[in-house]
């Protein structure tokens, strides 16, 4: 999800969802809690999961913590939620199944 937001005239407004059993999504107006857009998720295929390694040092030259795995060969099914026709300025969030995105704006 683009958490910075979208402009009303942007030609494409998408969110990407990984490994969900849901087939639909809703865009919710954050101020009213009401669905203002809904649609069907579209499969964009099976993609490698990104490897991630975190090394925390805080103002130190030695590591305070490290975790992650950059050797994973697993994959995930990726889906797109297209709400490109939504152009009303406001603050929104996306709901897919029981999952909720961070808020984003259209302005």
């Amino acid at each position: 999800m683009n958490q910075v937001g979208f402009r009303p005239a942007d030609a494409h407004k998408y969110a990407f969802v990984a490994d969900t059993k849901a087939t639909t999504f809703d865009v919710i107006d954050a101020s009213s809690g009401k669905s203002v857009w809904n649609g069907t998720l579209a499969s964009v295929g099976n993609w490698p999961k990104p490897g991630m390694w975190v090394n925390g040092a805080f103002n130190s030259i030695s590591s305070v913590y490290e975790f992650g795995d950059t050797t994973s060969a697993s994959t995930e099914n990726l889906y797109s939620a297209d709400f490109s026709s939504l152009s009303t300025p406001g603050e929104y969030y996306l709901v897919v199944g029981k999952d909720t995105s961070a808020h984003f704006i259209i302005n």
Side-chain angles (χ1 to χ4, degrees):
M1 169 59 64
N2 179 348
Q3 294 176 9
V4 173
F6 304 91
R7 294 173 297 195
D10 284 345
H12 303 289
K13 298 179 193 87
Y14 294 102
F16 292 93
V17 181
D19 288 335
T20 182
K21 293 186 183 346
T23 58
T24 61
F25 69 94
D26 284 282
V27 178
I28 308 296
D29 182 310
S31 63
S32 71
K34 295 182 180 179
S35 177
V36 296
W37 188 265
N38 59 55
T40 302
L41 295 171
S43 176
V44 293
N46 191 273
W47 293 82
K49 284 188 176 182
M52 186 172 91
W53 186 262
V54 176
N55 181 336
F58 301 110
N59 296 325
S60 172
I61 58 172
S62 60
S63 291
V64 175
Y65 60 87
E66 292 184 65
F67 63 88
D69 180 8
T70 59
T71 62
S72 175
S74 62
T75 61
E76 59 190 354
N77 293 309
L78 196 60
Y79 301 88
S80 67
D82 182 355
F83 50 97
S84 298
S85 295
L86 179 60
S87 59
T88 305
E91 185 173 343
Y92 303 96
Y93 60 92
L94 189 80
V95 175
V96 178
K98 294 182 180 179
D99 293 325
T100 301
S101 75
H103 287 205
F104 63 93
I105 61 168
I106 295 178
N107 189 6

